[in-house]
Structure formats: C-alpha cells, structure tokens
Amino acid sequence: MKKTIYDATEIQQALNRMADSFPMSSTDAPWAVVGIRRGGEHLAARLATLLGQRVGAEIPVGYVDITLYRDDGFGPNDWPEVGVTEIPFPLKEHTIILVDDVLYTGRTVRAAIDAIIDYGRPKAIRLAVLVDRGLRELPFRADSAGFELKTTPNEHVDVLLSADGGEGDQVTVGPRGNGEEVQQ
Amino acid sequence: MSILIQNGRLIDPVNATDKLADIRIQNGKIAEIAAAKSLNPGPDEELIDATGKWVSPGFIDLHAYLREPGEEYKEDLESGGKAALAGGFTTVVVMPNTHPVIDNAEHVQYILARSRALGLCEFLPAGALSVQRKGKNLAPLAEMQKAGAVCFTDADRAIANGQLMRNAMEYSTDFGMTLFSHAQDEALCSDGHMNEGAASTRLGLRGMPCVAEESIVARDAMLAEYTGAKLHFSHLSAAGSVARVAQAQQAGAAVTAEVGAHHLLLTEEDVDGFDTSAKLNPPLRTEDDRLALIDGIRTGVLCAISSNHAPHNSVEKDVTFASAEFGASGLQTVLPAAIKLVDEHDISPLVALGCLTSGPASILGLESGGLACESTANVTIIDPKENWEFTPERNLSKSTNSPFLGKTLKGRVLKTIAKGKVVFTV
Amino acid sequence: MDAATIYGILATAKGFKEISRRKIKKVPSLRGRTILNVFYENSTRTRVSFELAAKRLSADGVNISASGSAVAKGESLLDMAQTLNAMQADAVIIRHSSSGAPHYLADRISARVINAGDGLHEHPSQALLDIMTIWEKFDELDGLNVAIVGDIAHSRVARSNLIAMKTLGMNVRVAGPATLIPRELAAVYGCEVCDSVSQAVEGADVVMALRLQKERMNSGLLPSLREYSVEYGINAKLLKTTGDNAILMHPGPVNRGVELSADIVDGQRSVILDQVENGVAVRCALLYLILGGSQP
C-alpha cells in the first residue's frame, strides 16, 4: 500500500536545491544547521556538508530534541525517549537553519523553536524541510522545501534517509496506520 | 417455651458425644436427648431442622475486649454481646482494661449487673491482676473473686516484674484462682509493630521477635511449676511458646494455653500493604508458627481458641501502620478457624469444637454440663460447609477493624440459643 | 519495578541531566502543574532536589513542611490527605517517618503520590539516582560487585538499593555492626552478609557507605561513634583493596571521620557529588514520566 514517490537520486537533487537557497552572500550568514531529532538528524548533517562545500568552510551542526517541548504529552502506553539537545556553537552569532524531514501541522517546528530560544537568541531562524505535505495547524512556512506534496490526513508520509545518501533513501506515502502520531 | 432441634449432628466435647440426635429444650434447660428423628414435636413447640448441621454447646470466649466502661465509642457490652451471639458465643470473658479498670469488687459487679440486664450472652468479668494494671501492687483478688471474677490478668499488659507474678501466683493458690498471662517481654518489643522476620524487614517496620513471647512463657511456666499455681497463657503466637507449654505440662504444672483465631488463619504476610487490621498483639507470625499452633491443638497442649476481639475506631486504625493501635475485631469470625482445623488439618470436630467449649470451660472451672439433660440450654447450631461473606451489613460490632471484612469464610453460625431462648438467627 | 523500567527511567534522566547544565534550566513539559512537597521529616537535600526538579519542568512546586510533635504521630495524615485533595494537587511528594505513609496517602487522594522516603521502608528515587551514578561509570550492571556498609536496619536507602540491585543482577555484599543488620536480610534481598567490612569491600566495584545516626548510640545498639569508625568506617587503605575502577558512594550528608575518612570523601573515587546532580535529573525524569502523559 505504501508507494515510493522519490528515490535516492531525487532526494540528493532536492538537497542540493535546498543548499542553493541559502547563499553565502545572504545577510543571514554565517549559517548553522540544527536538525530536529530524530527525523532531521541525517538531513541536517548532509545539508551542512553541502552548504559547507559551497561556502568553502565548515558549517556548524547541532541537534535539538523536542520531546520535552511537545504540546501533547505522551500516550498511556508510550515510553517517551528524551534525547539530548546539542548546540555546540554560540547561537547569537549564527542564523539557524532548522531542519526536519517532514513539515506537516507545524507543531514540531513550534516546539523546536521554543527549545532553541531557551538555549539562547539566534540572529534568525530559517526553516528547511525535505517534504512539505501541507495541512498546517500553526502558521509556519518553510523557507526551503525539497518537495511539496498535497496529502490528506489519512495518509502517512515516511522519509528514509541515511547518513551518507545510500541507495535505500526514499520518500513513501501510504495510508495511516492506527495510533500514529500526528505532530509533524 | 419449648424448642425441638431435629436430626442434627450432636457434637458435645464436654460429654465426648458425636452422634445424630434430636434435642428438646424446655424452661431454659436441655430436657431430652434421643435418637435422631425419634422425638415427636409437641404443640406450640418451635421446630429447628438441623439436618446436615452440627449442634454444639454454646461457645465460650476466654478473651474479648468489649470496651465498656469508658470507650463505648468503639464497642459496648450490648453491641459486643450481639456480635458474640452471632459468632456462636453464649459466654464471654471480658478483659479488665477498661476505663476505669476492673480492679475491685464494685467494678466486677458492674459487669455482672450489665450482663443480667442485657440478657444477651453471659459476660464473665476478668479482674485485673495488679492495681490499675500498673504492674506494681496486687489488686484485691480475693474480693474480686467473691464478687464473681472468673480469672485475673492485666489483659494486654505483660507483668514485667517477676516478683509480682510470683506473688500473684502464690497468693492465688489459697483461693484456687486461675491467672491468665499475656506473655511478652515489652522491652524486647519496644517500638515493634509486627513480627520480626522477613516481612518486617521488607516493609521497613520494627519487629517484635518470637523470643519476646517465648522467654516470658518460659519464666511464667517455671514460676507456675514452682508455686503450684493455675496458670493459663492467653493468645500464644509462636512455635517456641507451644513447646515450652508442652514441657511444663509434662512436668506436671497446672499450665494451660490458648490461641487466638486470627493466629490460626493469618500470618505476617497478611500485613502486606500495611493493612492495619492485621496489626495484632501478639503479632501474626510465620507459617511455621501457625502450623505449630495448629499442631498444639492436635496434641492437646493448646485447649482453647479465643476471639481476642479488640474493636477499634477508625481514629485508631485509619492511620499509618506505626501509629495504629494493635488489635482486630473477631467475635464473628472464630468458627471458621475451627472449621479450617477440621477441613485442612485432620483434627476431629470434637477436638476443634472442644477448643470453643469444653476447653475454655475447664480452664475457668465452669460447670458446663455440655449438652446433657438438666444442663443449661446454651446451644450453637452450625453449618460447617457454608461459605459466607462477612459483609459490613453482617458486622454487628461498632467497629470495622476486621481483616476478614469483605472476605468469604467457611463455617457459619446459624442459630445461637442462650438459656433456652433463641437469641441469634442468621 | 522490572529492569526495563529502571533502565527506561535512567535513560530519561540522562536527557534531563543535560538540561540542568544549560543556562536556562527549564523546559515547559509540566507547565502549570501543581506539585506539593509534603515533608514530615527534615530534609534539605531531597526536598530541594524535588523542588528543583519540579521547577525545571515548569511546574509549580510548593513546600509543606509538617514537623512537630502533634503531627509526628501521624494522626493528622488523614486530615492532610483531605486537604491535599481540596488543593487539587497533581502530584504529592511525601517524606514521612512512618513506613507505609505514601501508600496510606495514595489510597486516599486523587493526586499521584511519590515516595521521598517512608520510615525504614523505601526511598526509591535515591536508589534510582544511585544506580544512575553507577551506570555512568560501568556499562554493564549485571554481575557488578557492590558493597553496602553501615546501618542497614534503619536505612530505607539500603532497602531500595537492595531491591534495585537484585533486579539488575548485581552481586551485593553487606557489612556492618550485627545489631544493625536485620536477620532476614540475605533471605529477603538475595545479598551476602559479610563478617567484616574488609571482606565486603575487597574486590568491590562500588562501595556504598550509609549514614550513621547518632540516635543509634542512645538506643544501646552501638557503643560509640569512635568504635564504629574504627571497625566499620571506610578509609583509603580499605579502598585500595577494591576493584580497579571502583567508586565510592554515600547518600549524604556524610559524617566525615565516621562512615568515611575525610580524605576519601573528596578523593578521586568519590562520586558523591555526581549522586547529588543525578538526583535532580532522576527526579525530573520521575515527575515527567508520571505527569507528562497526554491523559489528564
């Protein structure tokens, strides 16, 4: 029932497009990339590498865990996994590119922004996502989206990404199973 | 007033009878006993069909705290009496740790007067052994005995001073008195709340070790042998205590002992969850102790089962375990202990019911004629097979601190007849 | 509590440890919840630890310090329970001198109840933070050798640790004055009771010393502090006989020179301060896991 709509090659192309939309010349620079755990982790690292190639310097990477910032708690049978937020660079000197695999309701982004602001005050925050599937519940807009999809609430979008862009990378769309979270 | 009990199994430990029989009661006495189904009902005679049931002499309880005078909010002789009858008891020895203490003739007479006035079961007063139960000076034992006290004890306080106990024993021999001993070394139990053992370690509660009871049982048994006094040990709880009593009996001392019904049915594991209705003094002990107590009944070392009925209000019991008072209510749940002995421990009904009838009677020196012609008609009719739930509605005590409340028990009192009158029906 | 649950709590606590090292030590997870600390026994360490934990989760933590003779008997615990219900607390953290007080409360109030130490019975959050501290130093807990030394009989810290360590498969040896070790300890907790401290400590990976309270001398259980420190105190010489990477623990506050010689309290092996830091993290984790669900 799940359909692969983008494969590894298309994903890499999208990543390159995303990297292009953050030019060094922009007044936003210097950039830093912060991936939202856990879907945005590999994405953040790979985007930072691509950006770094264009800019000729290493782009700092950080990760933010939003478990404790969610607005919906956790279910009665769930065991929340609280990950560690790492931001190993000074926030106020950088513009953060906040990275996630799928942008959906926008609640994850809201939580991530709150988490980052608790850490410090960045110059600005821009949002980069691999897939924007619409159906926003909060007023957020991606500054750069690899793909834009029209989806319905009873579909589930899955992104499989590896650390270095292997063959297995894919974006799939299928019907939503029971008990799947809707945060994104 | 004539009653005919038909076709019941007559189990009379006093006269060592166990047979199917018809019994006729007239004018407060047993009038006739004949073969089952052989007696013809007279006109206006109340008929009780006891087919499949046991017919026993009315039970005698050696140890109940009925809180009157002074703590009537927990229980009084009226509510306690009703609970007693529901438990099959037609005679109850009431403990003297009331307010004021029963330590003189006047107070003894008070209890007896109330007993007559209420007309429920018969209350027999135990007199305090020491003045005000302070454990220092002897109370006026002879005076109390003349007034009607049937035994002497400081109830839930042990006699710490060996000299006082010796004096009481020696004094008592002139009068043929029976002393009851609450055997416990209080210092070894200081700040203890349950049996010292695995359960107390786990629950983080300070314990009262078996040796605290056993050491005083040893002391008092040896003193009884030395002085020739008649000594009865209340509510034993430890295996070692049973052994020491057996030893004393073999040496010829006039020593008897009882066990509380709760200690035959429960162990320290029942305290789990910090259940204050299982907080007893002496405490519930291990399964090994429980089995040793049952064995004590089997061998005759222990010849009585008491209720240790200790009603407490929620003020005393609805608190943390360490703060709770000791004691559980128990008059209505004694029979199931006897039935359990028969069902699961290979003890004959005569011996088991003997612990509720002939045993207590002989300890007190009561002339209990059992179920023989001309004896007072105190009769308890039992269904030994019925499983029944001890619901709050069935609880006749003013207090609810029973570990069996809401539980199902086997063995039920169906009717109690006191002095020829039916005073309790299920 | 099974091993999986313990490890789960500790994993969550690890996440919280990081938060306590940030500049803004706060996350909004329990925003607006009311958490009441009801401490019937004096305790700065544990109370502040729970207080901080509540505040780090953005909850409203309020202290109710209830000591004094009238309350000491526990009669008013029922009144307290009814008052707590009226206050609509989400969680109540209770420390009480009576074993079973948290259970008593839990049966009577609608809020969640967390045991911060009841009588001699248990002190679960302490055991969890102790295990967390050990886990930070040793990857594999199963089969680890632990020595617990001191007044076991009066220690709820010891009991909770014994339970946790048994669940996690650690080998525990216990030593202390015979008057302070319950007779049934080995049978109940599956630990080994040693004749001497040196026997228990030899080859241990973890040495945990318990606090000795001065009341024990008054109850006739021990002759003197001096004798205790000579016969049962942990010192540098004893520590040399432990395993290679052995750590030294103590629930605090330490009686320097009694349970531990002064030099080792701050020495290399001591993780006592880690225990304190982990205490806040563990308590954050507990509060979060108990109150952070989406159900009200």
Side-chain angles (χ1 to χ4, degrees), chain A residues 5 7 14 23 26 33 39 44 58 69 80 87-88 97 99 117 125 128 131 138 140 144-145 150 152 156 164 171 180:
Chain A
I5 47 174
D7 64 19
S26 164
V33 176
E58 207 173 298
Y69 285 83
I87 306 211
I97 303 176
V99 174
I117 302 274
I125 300 180
V131 179
L138 295 176
F140 288 106
S144 169
K150 261 194 163 51
T152 59
H156 185 75
D164 49 10
V171 177
E180 266 160 22

Side-chain angles (χ1 to χ4, degrees), chain B residues 201-204 318 320 323, chain C residues 73 98-99 104 108 121 159:
Chain B
T201 302
R202 216 178 343 108
L203 293 171
D318 190 12
T320 57
S323 307
Chain C
K73 260 217 100 180
S98 244
S99 303
Y104 179 89
R108 288 160 181 77
H121 183 221
R159 279 182 180 77

Side-chain angles (χ1 to χ4, degrees), chain B residues 196-206 273-274 315 317-323 325, chain C residues 73-74 77-78 98-101 103-104 108 120-121 154 159 182-185 188-189 216:
Chain B
E196 181 178 293
S200 68
T201 302
R202 216 178 343 108
L203 293 171
L205 289 168
R206 289 195 174 85
F274 301 98
V315 169
K317 282 297 205 178
D318 190 12
V319 290
T320 57
F321 200 86
S323 307
E325 290 278 354
Chain C
K73 260 217 100 180
L77 197 52
L78 183 59
S98 244
S99 303
H103 306 72
Y104 179 89
R108 288 160 181 77
L120 307 179
H121 183 221
H154 298 95
R159 279 182 180 77
R183 295 159 61 101
E184 307 283 339
L185 199 74
V188 175
Y189 298 105
R216 307 302 162 229

Side-chain angles (χ1 to χ4, degrees), chain C residues 35-231:
Chain C
I35 298 177
L36 300 181
N37 280 341
V38 182
F39 274 57
Y40 279 84
E41 273 182 347
N42 279 330
S43 151
T44 311
R45 215 169 269 258
T46 307
R47 187 173 52 79
V48 170
S49 191
F50 270 109
E51 227 186 299
L52 280 177
K55 287 174 160 51
R56 300 233 159 123
L57 288 158
S58 300
D60 294 327
V62 175
N63 289 332
I64 301 181
S65 174
S67 40
S69 56
V71 169
K73 260 217 100 180
E75 296 123 342
S76 64
L77 197 52
L78 183 59
D79 285 335
M80 174 63 77
Q82 290 163 346
T83 308
L84 291 172
N85 268 337
M87 287 188 206
Q88 313 284 6
D90 293 293
V92 170
I93 300 168
I94 174 163
R95 167 171 283 200
H96 198 282
S97 57
S98 244
S99 303
H103 306 72
Y104 179 89
L105 216 56
D107 281 342
R108 288 160 181 77
I109 66 177
S110 49
R112 307 301 178 95
V113 177
I114 297 179
N115 183 4
D118 63 327
L120 307 179
H121 183 221
E122 284 174 7
H123 192 356
S125 59
Q126 178 73 37
L128 287 169
L129 75 89
D130 287 339
I131 302 290
M132 180 175 177
T133 309
I134 298 173
W135 201 26
E136 281 176 342
K137 303 290 181 199
F138 296 95
D139 286 328
E140 182 65 53
L141 294 179
D142 189 29
L144 208 62
N145 291 320
V146 179
I148 302 183
V149 177
D151 182 359
I152 314 286
H154 298 95
S155 174
R156 52 192 174 216
V157 172
R159 279 182 180 77
S160 282
N161 267 304
L162 284 167
I163 295 172
M165 290 173 180
K166 183 173 171 198
T167 305
L168 297 174
M170 299 191 212
N171 298 326
V172 183
R173 287 203 214 129
V174 153
T179 47
L180 298 177
I181 300 195
R183 295 159 61 101
E184 307 283 339
L185 199 74
V188 175
Y189 298 105
C191 57
E192 190 190 327
V193 177
C194 295
D195 290 328
S196 67
V197 174
S198 51
Q199 197 193 12
V201 163
E202 190 182 338
D205 300 303
V206 177
V207 176
M208 183 183 289
L210 300 173
R211 196 172 142 65
L212 182 72
Q213 279 168 316
K214 306 208 171 68
E215 294 88 77
R216 307 302 162 229
M217 261 57 71
N218 297 336
S219 323
L221 291 163
L222 277 185
S224 66
L225 282 179
R226 205 169 87 96
E227 193 151 315
Y228 178 87
S229 72
V230 168
E231 300 295 330

Side-chain angles (χ1 to χ4, degrees), chain A residues 129-178:
Chain A
V129 298
L130 185 63
V131 179
D132 178 346
R133 64 172 285 193
L135 300 175
R136 217 70 82 232
E137 288 173 8
L138 295 176
F140 288 106
R141 180 186 53 80
D143 292 287
S144 169
F147 307 104
E148 282 182 19
L149 283 181
K150 261 194 163 51
T151 64
T152 59
N154 38 15
E155 286 173 310
H156 185 75
V157 175
D158 239 321
V159 173
L160 215 69
L161 261 186
S162 58
D164 49 10
E167 287 274 306
D169 286 359
Q170 57 181 317
V171 177
T172 61
V173 180
R176 186 138 74 86
N178 290 336

